[in-house]
Amino acid sequence: MSALRILVPVKRVIDYAVKPRVNKAQTGVETNVKHSMNPFDELSVEESVRIREKKSAPGGVEDICVISAGPPKAQDTLRTAMAMGADRAIHVETKEGEDLEPLSVAKLLKSVVEQQKSNLVILGKQSIDDDANQTGQMLAGLLGWPQATQASKVMFEKEGDAVTVTREVDGGSETVRAKLPMVITTDLRLNEPRYASLPNIMKAKKKPLEKKKLEDFGITAERRLKIVKVTEPPPRQGGGKVDDVDGLVSKLKELGAL
Amino acid sequence: MLTTVRRAVFGQARRGLAQANSLSSLQRLLSTLAVLEQNNGKLNTGSLSAITAAKKLGGPIHAFVAGGNIKSVADEAAKVDGVEKIIAVDNSAYDRGLPENYAPLLVENIKKGGYTHVIAGHTAFGKNLLPRVAALLDTQQISDITSIENENTFVRPIYAGNAIATVESSDSIKVITIRGTAFPAAEVAGGSASVEAGVDPKAESATEWVSEDLATSDRPDLATASRVVSGGRGLKSKEQFDKVMLPLADALGAAVGASRAAVDDGYADNSLQVGQTGKVVAPQLYMAVGISGAIQHLAGMKDSKVIAAINKDADAPIFQVADVGLVGDLFEKVPELTEKLKSA
């Protein structure tokens, strides 16, 4: 089996615990809040590091490269990924507020895969900001590679290049098998990401971080989808509380729910 | 000599054809391909939401099905009102909806039909397949839409439903996945679509389907149930989850859901998770039991018609969205409620 050269795309997003607020101009949400690595991307980094630590791939892991396209602060996210165990990082710098659409990201990643000679790309199944759930599938399509999305378990055969992936699907799970090179996207059940320890955070500062621009990959930030407006969802008012089960039943009847 | 002449003549004819094509595409009205799902030779009627969405766009609607022995599925789909044509591809290679061969299959049929819009449900099948199709067509997909403003403009929740974005697409082919709860499934009645064999490029799939493990249940399907009872960490164990929640579900004829906490702790199967990373439901009644109401959970249920909550913490955020809340010990209140519902 060929040694693994894993590419892990990560995205800096508003922290999952922050309740996003729509800005006054209705062009997006307030971004002056805490940001973190997209939770599904943490799973991708963790899985890559575990493949190396557990020596589960017969050919071993030669390289774990994390990449992020985003504003200068995306470097913090890349450092976090390196503190978790990634070897090096590529930062494709974009301007603040210049968000790439999944199709552009997929095109960018295709160039990076070719340049870096990656044979496994592990992405999060979706980013929790625009909830698109597209990039991994688009990348696999552009590369003509097999894909295993919403992975909850990744297993390597003892020999050869075959990878068996259990996927979360509606109603349960499904298992598929493909050969490298391939694209995998992570579901929450895949693993439990580690916390980066202080010594590892210090070490990560010395790991290589290569800076690139969109133009280096022939990508522009033009959008196919224009955001016409962003609004708050219609508010929902709590209807108050009842004292006992009888109150609950009669209120539900009154609301026509029973 | 002959060849040159022939080439010239054909070239001209081809150019003429191309011209006619571009002219007709200018005048072409929109037409939609709704991608339907099938499982083991049965039409997934939930996927008929795609037809409801297509109707909102106007223009002719074709529906697409593929799989082995697809005839009965195609015939059933042909009965859906408002569908002009069913494009059916009979080949068991597509039974499992593997995107590696299903995406090229769809792309060929989309190109042949000249569709302006392609719609599928934002289900595990649609999410896996359509972005690959979109990439092959070089179009930016629009995911999980909840409403259609016009043929180019769509509404979709972002940030776990904490913001609603209206987006306008400039792509010539719109590839769209829809939120099933926002578009009710079209009824299988009143229609008489013709069934036509689609093109089959017979692409190889580099991925092989190995097995599946589906949770079986006699209860209604979570995504489409009109009533859902959902349990959270407050249930404390799988045994108690089953003991408390299942009788309540049966008394209400409801589907069972769970919060991420309950799933992570093994009280319920992953496929029952309601929320941003699980299923999005919008039933008539959603009853949250022992669920605090984190934003990721609310993302999956806050469009329910009526929300009821039972929780011992009076300050739990779930009470801010619940139409009716009961503060109390669920191990006491839920069995009492189940009894009262049964005797009612």
Side-chain angles (χ1 to χ4, degrees), chain B residues 271-321:
Chain B
S271 59
L272 300 186
Q273 189 190 319
V274 172
Q276 182 182 22
T277 59
K279 289 224 164 51
V280 176
V281 301
Q284 293 291 319
L285 171 63
Y286 186 88
M287 192 171 288
V289 177
I291 292 177
S292 64
I295 55 174
Q296 295 82 10
H297 185 76
L298 299 182
M301 46 64 82
K302 66 185 165 59
D303 293 325
S304 306
K305 194 88 184 292
V306 174
I307 298 173
I310 301 177
N311 203 303
K312 68 176 179 200
D313 176 9
D315 297 324
I318 191 77
F319 288 121
Q320 289 162 24
V321 299

Side-chain angles (χ1 to χ4, degrees), chain A residues 225-245:
Chain A
L225 295 182
K226 189 177 105 191
I227 296 173
V228 180
K229 63 174 178 193
V230 175
T231 56
E232 293 275 351
R236 211 178 160 117
Q237 286 298 322
K241 294 180 184 124
V242 293
D243 295 329
D244 51 22
V245 171

Side-chain angles (χ1 to χ4, degrees), chain B residues 184-195:
Chain B
E187 269 184 64
V188 187
S192 56
S194 61
V195 178

Side-chain angles (χ1 to χ4, degrees), chain B residues 30-281:
Chain B
L30 67 92
S31 65
T32 302
L33 186 67
V35 185
L36 304 184
E37 299 177 32
Q38 64 99 20
N39 206 342
N40 294 321
K42 278 210 188 90
L43 178 67
N44 176 347
T45 48
S47 68
L48 298 174
S49 293
I51 292 172
T52 308
K55 283 183 185 167
K56 292 202 195 297
L57 286 165
I61 302 166
H62 295 178
F64 185 86
V65 288
N69 295 317
I70 202 70
K71 191 173 179 307
S72 63
V73 178
D75 287 345
E76 192 184 351
K79 293 186 199 132
V80 178
D81 185 40
V83 180
E84 207 170 84
K85 198 193 282 178
I86 308 294
I87 314 282
V89 174
D90 196 330
N91 182 344
S92 58
Y94 305 118
D95 276 348
R96 297 296 174 177
L98 295 170
E100 290 81 359
N101 60 5
Y102 209 118
L105 167 74
L106 259 183
V107 166
E108 287 304 309
N109 284 281
I110 291 162
K111 284 185 177 159
K112 185 184 171 222
Y115 302 104
T116 55
H117 293 72
V118 179
I119 305 183
H122 195 66
T123 57
F125 169 84
K127 282 189 274 198
N128 198 20
L129 173 67
L130 257 66
R132 192 164 176 126
V133 171
L136 296 177
L137 293 168
D138 193 32
T139 171
Q140 174 52 53
Q141 186 191 313
I142 311 148
S143 285
D144 202 20
I145 66 162
T146 51
S147 148
I148 294 170
E149 299 225 320
N150 61 46
E151 61 176 281
N152 302 319
T153 314
F154 309 92
V155 178
R156 56 181 303 265
I158 53 176
Y159 293 94
N162 284 294
I164 308 295
T166 305
V167 295
E168 188 183 306
S169 167
S170 57
D171 281 315
S172 58
I173 304 177
K174 276 83 169 162
V175 174
I176 300 164
T177 59
I178 56 159
R179 181 169 287 196
T181 56
F183 301 91
E187 269 184 64
V188 187
S192 56
S194 61
V195 178
E196 206 175 86
V199 285
D200 186 354
K202 297 198 167 69
E204 293 281 317
S205 174
T207 304
E208 167 200 354
W209 185 88
V210 179
S211 64
E212 69 185 357
D213 180 14
L214 301 183
T216 48
S217 160
D218 300 331
R219 295 194 180 79
D221 175 52
L222 178 59
T224 52
S226 65
R227 289 172 179 175
V228 173
V229 296
S230 224
R233 185 163 272 162
L235 270 312
K236 295 206 164 73
S237 72
K238 175 164 172 45
E239 291 67 39
Q240 310 219 59
F241 188 98
D242 289 351
K243 197 173 137 208
V244 172
M245 297 305 291
L246 303 187
L248 175 64
D250 292 336
L252 282 166
V256 177
S259 70
R260 183 182 164 194
V263 169
D264 281 351
D265 290 351
Y267 307 171
D269 190 74
N270 296 345
S271 59
L272 300 186
Q273 189 190 319
V274 172
Q276 182 182 22
T277 59
K279 289 224 164 51
V280 176
V281 301

